[in-house]
Amino acid sequence: MAEIIDGKKISAQIRGSIKEETARFIAETGVTPGLAVILVGSDPASQIYVRNKKKACEEVGFKSFEYLMPESTTEEELKELVNKLNHTSEVHGILCQLPLPKHISEKAVIESISPMKDVDAFHPANVGRIMTGDYNFLPCTPAGIMELIKSTGVEIAGKKCVVVGRSNIVGKPMAMLLLHANGTVTMCHSKTADLKKECLEADILVVATGKAKMIKADMVKPGAVVIDVGMDRDENGKLCGDVDFDEVSKVAGYITPVPGGVGPMTIAMLMRNTYTAAKIAASR
Ligand code: GUN
């Protein structure tokens, strides 16, 4: 049976150490890290994510600024708010919760955020920095996954890493981080000819497809590290991942559960990025 990678516990440890560092930082500089979170509309899942981000800020000793805007908000109004926050010294990080309503261009809004305050690391300037390895911020989910892999003690260097899913938020930056860690990286996607064959070669398998339980036990190399980014619903409406946990956990060496694996790490990394943004601002 695979060892379960406890994202909840690792996230709490990281947030605990950020809390300690933050207290020291505030005492030394008089600056309290601040995160602004913007939510447009009333998507129930987004409302929960935003509430959790606010709670996490309060727990680690950051200021949080919440902007709840109606669905009818125009792109101009949203960009005006972002611009105001770009120039607000108490705000070190700006996060605009995605998805945005259809009439607003996500690209335009992301590009309006100052790269120095872009704690999601979605701005093209920060995406470019990730390519070269010269970055201030890493996107939260892939950064959290790197921490989860580190917690297993499994060395990435020289290992065969397979990433399934090529989104801008998870798959693409994930592949880059594994490459920076000297993994031999393969990216798989919906057009991959033989997904099973590719996955079977993985010492480290990261799955971010949004397809419930698509990775089966016969697709996983015995002893592999399996990271499941999925947040799906199974045929009974129960929360599950992209990996068939009950079956794959009999084959894998290490596996993340859903929930309680990758999810909690994303918020811990958001806190880390906000703290980094405040440190950079204070050092200028
Ligand atoms: N929606 C789902 N995940 C995320 C995220 O990591 N950042 C933002 N801004 N929106 C999201």
Side-chain angles (χ1 to χ4, degrees):
M1 273 302 274
E3 198 173 302
I4 310 278
I5 306 173
D6 188 345
K8 237 171 129 173
K9 187 168 127 201
I10 298 164
S11 168
Q13 285 164 351
I14 292 173
R15 283 180 287 124
S17 62
I18 293 172
K19 182 177 179 170
E20 284 172 20
E21 275 185 67
T22 299
R24 275 199 301 274
F25 175 74
I26 295 172
E28 280 166 20
T29 64
V31 174
T32 302
L35 175 67
V37 179
I38 306 169
L39 174 62
V40 184
S42 53
D43 175 64
S46 292
Q47 283 174 329
I48 295 170
Y49 293 142
V50 165
R51 204 179 313 141
N52 288 342
K53 286 167 186 176
K54 185 167 180 237
K55 197 166 132 227
C57 280
E58 284 157 9
E59 275 172 13
V60 296
F62 295 176
K63 282 186 197 160
S64 77
F65 305 87
E66 200 178 41
Y67 297 87
L68 304 176
M69 306 179 81
E71 182 85 20
S72 59
T73 303
T74 65
E75 187 176 307
E76 276 317 304
E77 284 167 336
L78 182 53
K79 287 199 300 198
E80 241 170 68
L81 170 62
V82 169
N83 192 42
K84 191 183 89 181
L85 297 172
N86 281 341
H87 294 96
T88 303
S89 59
E90 276 183 296
V91 170
H92 303 101
I94 302 170
L95 180 146
C96 187
Q97 188 67 29
L98 305 179
L100 286 168
K102 296 253 179 305
H103 64 275
I104 299 178
S105 156
E106 289 186 351
K107 176 175 157 17
V109 173
I110 288 168
E111 289 183 11
S112 73
I113 297 173
S114 161
M116 300 305 295
K117 297 193 179 189
D118 169 39
V119 285
D120 266 325
F122 291 168
H123 190 289
N126 288 323
V127 174
R129 284 177 168 274
I130 293 159
M131 283 286 276
T132 58
D134 167 33
Y135 48 75
N136 296 313
F137 309 118
L138 289 176
C140 299
T141 300
I145 292 170
M146 292 302 280
E147 294 292 335
L148 293 177
I149 297 171
K150 194 156 74 173
S151 79
T152 65
V154 171
E155 182 72 40
I156 297 171
K159 295 285 163 54
K160 181 92 196 203
C161 307
V162 174
V163 178
V164 188
R166 53 177 156 181
S167 69
N168 289 332
I169 295 183
V170 184
K172 285 185 208 165
M174 187 72 242
M176 202 52 64
L177 299 194
L178 291 165
L179 182 60
H180 288 323
N182 297 315
T184 300
V185 185
T186 300
M187 290 204 69
C188 296
H189 44 77
S190 52
K191 303 287 188 293
T192 294
D194 192 343
L195 181 65
K196 180 175 168 181
K197 174 178 160 282
E198 302 293 347
C199 289
L200 269 171
E201 287 187 15
D203 301 302
I204 298 169
L205 179 63
V206 180
V207 190
T209 63
K211 292 199 175 70
K213 298 186 184 177
M214 69 169 287
I215 301 295
K216 305 292 182 191
D218 66 355
M219 300 168 79
V220 174
K221 181 174 174 176
V225 177
V226 178
I227 306 286
D228 187 351
V229 189
M231 272 287 202
D232 314 312
R233 297 274 166 190
D234 69 9
E235 58 283 2
N236 302 314
K238 193 169 161 258
L239 188 63
C240 70
D242 298 346
V243 175
D244 189 339
F245 182 89
D246 291 344
E247 294 304 316
V248 173
S249 57
K250 292 175 190 158
V251 178
Y254 301 86
I255 189 167
T256 59
V258 176
V262 174
M265 295 303 292
T266 300
I267 286 202
M269 296 300 109
L270 176 64
M271 298 300 109
R272 181 186 281 175
N273 282 348
T274 303
Y275 178 57
T276 301
K279 268 201 306 197
I280 294 171
S283 70
R284 291 179 148 222

